[in-house]
Amino acid sequence: MPSDPLRRKPFVFTGICVDPRPNSDIAAALREGAAALVPVTDTPRLEAEVLLAHVTGLTRTAILAHPERPLSPDERARYGDLLARRAAGIPLPYLTGRVEFFGLDFVVTPDVLIPRPETETLVELALERGPRTVVDVGTGSGCVAVALATHLPRARIYATDLSRAALRVAAENARRHGVADRIHFLQADLASPLRGPVDMLVSNPPYVAEEEWALLPESVREHEPHLALDGGPGGLRVVRRLLADAARLLRPGGILLVEIGAGQGPEAAALARAVFPPARVRIHPDLAGRDRVLEVLL
């Protein structure tokens, strides 16, 4: 005889018991969810709302407007499972499969780095320069390439990544936003198969210094792709190689834009000046005032 779904054992995690009875409503589910997520996030109520919206197919606005709505046994079970996984440290975007970046909705999986708001500085700077040909090195989810293609309808964009799985995610995002015909995806180590000249090379490369790895949040270390994070000793291993690619690919007057870590500005600028003595080299801060983008104008 199949087990009665109404008699399933509750989910237990981080000291919180989530009861899967179907007569639980949205208000109760949000209270339990927020309490469960306190140890892992600074925004437990918000994340509980996002997870419940994902499970029910409702918007967050609808959830907040109808706290009395009952949850079905299946919704309750799925919500409890997601809460348990989030409480175990799995990043929220990997649970919902979605994240917003530059006003666009992107698919994400554990095969790609989760796009961060600070990377929007890289996109904003690229858009201000208005390039016609762009190479996005290490495209990951494709967030930079897709955002540029969306806002630069005349631009031709090449996007590379060493990971075939990441390229599948990027291609899906390009299709979702109707720009797949203007982005050429290539599996490659940096920009090795490409030949210039191009107007711009952009990249959000791995830049976490080897010696700072242990300082990363556990959720990042344990769940996001190591290949997209590890910048080697000092964090600038890939930046050095990007400078060599820029010398080969960029036309005279071309621009290199590379995201860097906070505090890496002086060393990154020194490396750029050594490779391009006549070039204009600048370090742009993010909204928090931290070093964020290396710009080299040839």
Side-chain angles (χ1 to χ4, degrees), residues 22-94:
N23 58 345
S24 296
D25 59 21
I26 282 176
L30 290 178
R31 285 195 300 271
E32 294 169 0
L37 299 182
V38 166
V40 293
T41 176
D42 293 332
T43 56
R45 171 73 183 204
L46 173 61
E47 293 200 12
E49 293 171 4
V50 170
L51 289 175
L52 194 56
H54 177 67
V55 164
T56 61
L58 300 173
T59 65
R60 284 183 55 225
T61 300
I63 282 176
L64 297 176
H66 300 285
E68 77 290 348
R69 177 194 182 277
L71 301 181
S72 70
D74 179 65
E75 288 172 338
R76 192 67 178 146
R78 289 169 57 208
Y79 182 59
D81 177 65
L82 289 176
L83 286 173
R85 293 169 67 195
R86 181 68 185 103
I90 297 177
L92 181 67
Y94 290 157

Side-chain angles (χ1 to χ4, degrees), residues 193-208:
L194 295 174
R195 299 291 179 268
V198 298
D199 296 332
M200 179 177 287
L201 192 155
V202 299
S203 182
N204 177 16
Y207 58 73
V208 176

Side-chain angles (χ1 to χ4, degrees), residues 10-27:
F11 294 90
V12 179
F13 52 93
T14 63
I16 303 295
C17 177
V18 178
D19 190 339
R21 291 174 299 180
N23 58 345
S24 296
D25 59 21
I26 282 176

Side-chain angles (χ1 to χ4, degrees), residues 108-143:
V108 290
T109 75
D111 293 314
V112 300
L113 192 70
I114 298 168
R116 265 67 169 184
E118 51 265 32
T119 303
E120 294 187 359
T121 301
L122 181 71
V123 176
E124 289 168 353
L125 289 168
L127 291 177
E128 288 173 6
R129 278 60 178 168
R132 296 294 295 268
T133 52
V134 184
V135 178
D136 175 26
V137 175
T139 195
S141 66
C143 64

